[in-house]
Amino acid sequence: MEQLLLKCAVVDDSTIQRLAIIKLIKNHPQLELVNAWNNAIETKNGLLDTKIDLLFLDIEMPVLNGFDLLDDLEDKPHVIFVTGKTKYALRAFDYHAVDFLKKPLKKERFNIAVQKVLNTYSLLPENQPQQDNPFVFIKSGIKEYKVFLKQILYVSALKDFAKIHMEEGSPLVTLGTMTSLESILPSEYFFRAHRSYIVNLKKIERFGAHYMEIRNNKIPISRMKKQEFKEALDLL
């Protein structure tokens, strides 16, 4: 099986600390450094065009701190806070951080934090799509629910959560990013039409220049995704 590789970015206004994190990332076989920023404002702008799985985030930064940055991001990646002060630990977990690392970083503790993220992508063998009726397990609350792919209409973002809209019954709400859900839903059937929506291509009833409709629900099509969307439909 191909080894999972997480795309990462670093945000820290200290050059020394930023380079220390970068070194640890480059020495980890399952991490790929995409970018590194020295302030949250550059990060906010950079993440509009850069897709990442994991953000190593400092908290105390000028103008915009780490918490403020997350408040401004609609599509949040997995976050590991990296800071010199433990007083932020409780608040960090209010933001559903994967982990909280105290400076100076130690390799063993860093690797433990990364493994927590890798574990969120680990699917049980039965989660792998089967030819007859593929399904995945989705965690909602403290339980794991077996969800058949053909029953999913679309997925919508809900702040730090995602709402999975089904053929029948109430939507299933799960803690996690749209990016992590996109990674487990097979791309031949599911398409990220907008930063806040993933759709089941087989459930689309009609579409126009800016919207598609699934069960009378209008779902926006991102301007940058229009051509990719049409190509995805052609492959069905």
Side-chain angles (χ1 to χ4, degrees):
M1 180 182 293
E2 186 178 351
Q3 191 176 50
L4 178 65
L5 188 65
L6 300 180
K7 294 183 180 297
C8 306
V10 179
V11 191
D12 199 310
D13 61 331
S14 165
T15 301
I16 293 176
Q17 298 296 340
R18 193 167 61 252
L19 291 175
I21 302 170
I22 289 172
K23 182 178 180 180
L24 287 167
I25 290 173
K26 290 185 175 180
N27 287 333
H28 195 290
Q30 290 184 262
L31 299 182
E32 176 187 349
L33 181 66
V34 174
N35 215 327
W37 293 284
N38 62 15
N39 65 75
I41 294 177
E42 286 185 0
T43 305
K44 180 181 174 181
N45 294 329
L47 289 177
L48 293 175
D49 303 313
T50 304
K51 180 179 177 181
I52 64 167
D53 304 305
L54 174 59
L55 184 64
F56 292 92
L57 179 60
D58 188 18
I59 294 176
E60 288 191 338
M61 293 180 287
V63 184
L64 197 69
N65 66 38
F67 296 129
D68 293 333
L69 171 63
L70 291 181
D71 287 337
D72 289 345
L73 294 180
E74 286 191 28
D75 190 10
K76 297 176 179 59
H78 294 291
V79 174
I80 294 176
F81 282 108
V82 183
T83 181
K85 298 182 179 179
T86 57
K87 67 180 182 179
Y88 295 114
L90 288 177
R91 189 179 176 192
F93 288 104
D94 286 339
Y95 282 80
H96 306 292
V98 176
D99 211 335
F100 183 95
L101 300 180
K102 190 176 183 302
K103 302 174 182 176
L105 297 182
K106 296 182 179 180
K107 181 179 178 181
E108 294 77 12
R109 185 66 182 83
F110 175 87
N111 288 341
I112 289 172
V114 171
Q115 189 58 49
K116 290 181 181 179
V117 182
L118 291 169
N119 288 344
T120 68
Y121 288 89
S122 298
L123 301 175
L124 299 173
E126 58 264 37
N127 281 348
Q128 303 302 320
Q130 304 296 318
Q131 289 186 351
D132 295 335
N133 199 3
F135 59 87
V136 293
F137 276 96
I138 300 292
K139 186 173 184 179
S140 182
I142 61 173
K143 296 182 179 180
E144 298 266 354
Y145 292 85
K146 185 177 183 178
V147 178
F148 291 96
L149 299 183
K150 69 179 184 181
Q151 295 295 320
I152 299 175
L153 298 173
Y154 63 95
V155 181
S156 60
L158 187 67
K159 292 188 178 180
D160 295 328
F161 296 82
K163 184 183 289 188
I164 302 172
H165 302 260
M166 311 292 291
E167 286 270 8
E168 299 177 357
S170 301
L172 186 65
V173 177
T174 182
L175 174 62
T177 65
M178 297 292 282
T179 300
S180 60
L181 275 174
E182 186 181 14
S183 72
I184 67 171
L185 295 173
S187 58
E188 60 265 36
Y189 303 118
F190 291 89
F191 181 76
R192 184 82 173 269
H194 184 275
R195 63 184 178 183
S196 298
Y197 290 92
I198 300 171
V199 299
N200 186 336
L201 293 167
K202 291 192 173 184
K203 303 298 182 180
I204 297 171
E205 295 162 349
R206 59 188 69 85
F207 69 91
H210 306 290
Y211 291 91
M212 67 183 78
E213 288 188 32
I214 298 178
R215 295 288 180 88
N216 295 321
N217 294 291
K218 280 191 172 183
I219 297 171
I221 304 172
S222 169
R223 179 175 56 85
M224 298 178 64
K225 291 276 192 172
K226 285 183 180 179
Q227 184 58 39
E228 190 179 346
F229 172 63
K230 291 180 180 178
E231 291 172 358
L233 288 177
D234 289 340
L235 292 174
L236 282 179

